[in-house]
Amino acid sequence: MEKQSIPSFLKQYFWGDDFSQININDNQKYIIQTLLENGDDKALKWLFSVINKQTILTFLSTVKLSKKSGNFWQIYLS
């Protein structure tokens, strides 16, 4: 399976990483965590277009989010 890279406009959220190595197949949990915590409207719209809300909800208990963000996303996705 070909690795699906993420769009360049998201690079600002992964500033400490080798952006060329981040892909949806291998880094789904990390991408979800980063964008739910720090993403803007455009980033979140992209996230929800490539990963369905149910999948994101299943990862919610395992990603590291601030308490405020975690509570918000739990309510929003339920």
Side-chain angles (χ1 to χ4, degrees), residues 20-35:
S20 65
Q21 297 299 310
I22 298 174
N23 65 77
I24 296 169
N25 307 77
D26 298 334
N27 309 108
Q28 188 174 45
K29 181 178 174 182
Y30 180 58
I31 293 167
I32 290 169
Q33 174 180 298
T34 302
L35 296 182

Side-chain angles (χ1 to χ4, degrees), residues 7-78:
S8 61
F9 75 87
L10 296 174
K11 189 173 185 173
Q12 64 183 324
Y13 301 108
F14 301 94
W15 55 269
D17 302 297
D18 182 352
F19 189 73
S20 65
Q21 297 299 310
I22 298 174
N23 65 77
I24 296 169
N25 307 77
D26 298 334
N27 309 108
Q28 188 174 45
K29 181 178 174 182
Y30 180 58
I31 293 167
I32 290 169
Q33 174 180 298
T34 302
L35 296 182
L36 289 183
E37 187 66 41
N38 301 309
D40 63 7
D41 290 344
K42 185 176 180 182
L44 293 169
K45 185 175 181 177
W46 174 83
L47 178 66
F48 291 125
S49 74
V50 295
I51 304 173
N52 70 51
K53 289 182 181 180
Q54 190 58 42
T55 301
I56 294 170
L57 187 58
T58 62
F59 276 108
L60 205 54
S61 63
T62 63
V63 296
K64 296 177 183 174
L65 297 174
S66 66
K67 186 172 182 158
K68 184 177 181 180
S69 292
N71 287 338
F72 171 81
W73 289 114
Q74 185 67 46
I75 293 167
Y76 179 84
L77 294 169
S78 295

